[in-house]
Amino acid sequence: MLPPLAARATAVGGSPIREILALTARPGVISFAGGLPAPELFDTEGLRAAYEAAFTSSPGRALQYSTTEGAPELREAVAARATARGLPTTPDDLLITTGSQQALALVTSALVDPGDTVLVENPTYLAALQTFGMAGARVVPVPCDDEGLLPDALQELVEREHAKLLYTIPTFQNPTGRTLTAARRAEVARIAARLGLWLVEDDPYGDLRFEGRDIPWLAAHPGAEDRTALLGSFSKILAPGLRLGWLRAPAALRRAAAVAKQAADLHTSTVDQLAAAHYLTTADLDAHISRVRTAYRTRRNALLAGLETALPPTSTWNHPEGGMFIWARLPEGHDATALLKTSITHDVAFVPGAPFHTGTPDPRTLRLSFTTHTPEEITTGLTRLATAAAAYSGVSA
Ligand code: PMP
C-alpha cells in the first residue's frame, strides 16, 4: 500500500490535444492540428554559431550555475525589444524563464490560492487551464466574440465572482487567432484598475503579424501598469526547443515569482541564455522574424483560399492578421470530433475546438494551424478535407 497521489495530480487530466496529435503523427497525414513552428524556418546556422560563441567566449560561465533572474545580457536584450515595441522596460523588470509556460506557472503559484477565481477567455489555451487546475483555482470563462473578450461581461464577472486574476492572450489567441482591439484593451485595463484585478497577458504570437498594425500590449494601457504580468517567449520567433521565455511584472510579483522559480528549477539553462543573448546581439532577429512572417502569410492565405470548398457549406471561419491559427465553425448539427475521425482516415487532421472550452463546449468549432506545411501541401490537405467532409455529411445525413 502506498499513500495516494496529491489531489491536484489526479484532478487535472492530460491534454486531449496531445492524444489527438499522437493519432495524427502518422507519416503521410497532412496535419493542421499541431501548434508547432515550421522547423525548416529555424535559423539553425545562426543558432549553432550563437552556441559556439557562448562556449568559446565564456565556457566556464556557460556551463556553470547562474542567477535565478537570468543572464544580464539576455535581460538587457529583451528589455530593449520590449521598449522598442512601446513598453518602457529595464532589465530589472524581467525574469528569464524556462519557456513562457514556466512564467505562467510561477505567476500562478505567486498569485493563486486554492479556491481563488481565475477568469479566462472562452475558449482558451489548454495548458493554461491545466496550470490553473493544478493550483486549485476556480476557472470561470468570460464570453468572447470575434474581437476577443467582452469587457461588459468581464466587469460583471469580476464583481459577481470576486475574481482575482484575468488570464488573456490578447494577440492572435490560441486557439482562435483572435485579437483584442485597442479599445477593448483600454477598457480591460480600466476595469482591472477600478475593481482590483491582476492581469496575466500571454503574448507568444504578437511578433507574428503579417498585416495590419501592431496594437500596444495590454500592459501599456493606463490602469494596467501596476497589475500586469506580461509573458513573452522565444518559442514562436526563434525555436521552442530552446525553452526560453520571460516575465515582465511589477516588483512584488516578480520577486515572488523568482522565489517560486528557485523552488522549481533554480534558474533557466545558462548556456541557452548566453547563446540567445549572442544571437540577439550579433544576428538580426527582426530579419529572421520577417522571413517567418512572409512564409506564414503565404501559408495562411493558402488555407483561407481553400476552406470554402473544404468545409461543409455555411461553415464560418475568421481571417487572423497573424499568429498560427484559424478558427472555424461547422454548420448546425455538425460535430468537429466526428469529422476529425473521418478526416484521419483520409490522411488529414485538425483539432476539434471542444477541449479548449471551459464550461459547455461548442462541438461545432475547430482549430486549423497553417504553419508546418507548404502552400502545395495545404491545398492537398484541403482537398482531402473536402472528401472527408462529404463522406462525413453522408454518414450523418
Ligand atoms: N501560451 C500560449 C498561448 C501558447 O500557445 C504556448 C505554446 N503553444 C505557450 C504559452 C507556451 O510557450 P513556451 O514554449 O514559451 O513555453
Side-chain angles (χ1 to χ4, degrees), residues 51 54 62 74 241-244 268-277:
Y51 272 87
L74 183 58
L242 296 173
R243 306 309 303 128
L244 285 173
T268 292
S269 156
T270 316
V271 62
D272 296 337
Q273 293 187 66
L274 295 188

Side-chain angles (χ1 to χ4, degrees), residues 6-364:
R8 81 179 76 81
T10 47
V12 178
S15 158
I17 304 297
R18 281 189 186 276
E19 284 151 29
I20 291 167
L21 291 182
L23 278 180
T24 62
R26 212 161 21 88
V29 173
I30 295 181
S31 179
F32 303 119
L36 308 181
E40 73 279 12
L41 299 177
F42 293 153
D43 183 4
T44 313
E45 279 315 308
L47 285 168
R48 194 206 306 272
Y51 272 87
E52 190 79 42
F55 273 107
T56 313
S57 62
S58 45
R61 189 177 161 220
L63 297 173
Q64 189 53 281
Y65 281 120
S66 56
T67 60
T68 301
E69 285 73 15
E73 55 270 67
L74 183 58
R75 295 163 81 203
E76 185 95 40
V78 171
R81 287 184 67 79
T83 304
R85 261 183 74 179
L87 185 64
T89 301
T90 69
D92 286 345
D93 297 325
L94 299 171
L95 176 70
I96 301 297
T97 57
T98 305
S100 62
Q101 186 68 34
Q102 185 186 46
L104 179 62
L106 299 178
V107 164
T108 302
S109 120
L111 290 177
V112 178
D113 283 317
D116 280 349
T117 299
V118 169
L119 300 178
V120 299
E121 285 148 353
N122 201 22
T124 193
Y125 172 51
L126 256 181
L129 293 175
Q130 289 177 310
T131 302
F132 299 134
M134 294 287 276
R138 234 182 102 237
V139 177
V140 176
V142 183
C144 297
D145 66 11
D146 281 348
E147 297 183 334
L149 58 85
L150 298 164
D152 286 349
L154 171 70
Q155 173 166 327
E156 196 199 309
L157 284 169
V158 178
E159 287 173 324
R160 198 179 74 207
E161 307 287 342
H162 306 291
K164 188 169 195 180
L165 179 160
L166 167 71
Y167 168 75
T168 171
I169 312 157
T171 309
F172 312 135
Q173 201 237 20
N174 183 4
T176 62
R178 289 170 182 158
T179 293
L180 193 68
T181 61
R184 286 195 189 178
R185 289 176 198 222
E187 253 187 282
V188 169
R190 272 198 302 271
I191 291 167
R194 190 155 45 79
L195 299 180
L197 181 73
W198 282 102
L199 298 171
V200 177
E201 177 174 23
D202 193 5
D203 187 35
Y205 303 105
D207 275 318
L208 297 179
R209 178 174 280 282
F210 325 138
E211 60 194 34
R213 289 157 62 106
D214 277 337
I215 302 178
W217 274 309
L218 186 52
H221 285 78
E225 306 93 335
D226 63 343
R227 61 190 57 254
T228 305
L230 174 63
L231 321 183
S233 177
F234 287 107
S235 291
K236 308 303 183 327
I237 54 173
L238 213 44
L242 296 173
R243 306 309 303 128
L244 285 173
W246 48 268
L247 164 69
R248 180 191 185 278
L253 174 56
R254 202 180 57 248
R255 277 194 294 269
V259 172
K261 183 166 170 66
Q262 280 163 15
D265 67 352
L266 302 181
H267 66 78
T268 292
S269 156
T270 316
V271 62
D272 296 337
Q273 293 187 66
L274 295 188
H278 269 287
Y279 189 93
L280 288 172
T281 45
T282 56
D284 187 345
L285 177 58
D286 288 319
H288 172 68
I289 294 174
S290 166
R291 281 191 292 276
V292 174
R293 283 179 179 155
T294 303
Y296 286 179
R297 184 193 296 116
T298 312
R299 293 171 189 202
R300 179 209 56 180
N301 290 347
L303 187 55
L304 285 174
L307 277 181
E308 181 86 52
T309 43
L311 292 179
T314 77
S315 296
T316 56
W317 56 88
N318 59 359
H319 290 63
E321 293 182 331
M324 296 178 28
F325 308 112
I326 287 170
W327 186 245
R329 192 157 189 248
L330 301 173
E332 182 87 48
H334 285 58
D335 183 298
T337 305
L339 176 59
L340 174 67
K341 285 191 184 128
T342 311
S343 298
I344 288 173
T345 65
H346 289 81
D347 287 339
V348 62
F350 55 83
V351 182
F356 297 101
H357 287 83
T358 321
T360 315
D362 181 346
R364 292 161 57 186

Side-chain angles (χ1 to χ4, degrees), residues 370-390:
F370 46 78
T371 51
T372 49
H373 290 288
T374 62
E376 296 71 32
E377 287 165 345
I378 289 172
T379 306
T380 307
L382 289 169
T383 308
R384 293 179 190 174
L385 187 55
T387 313

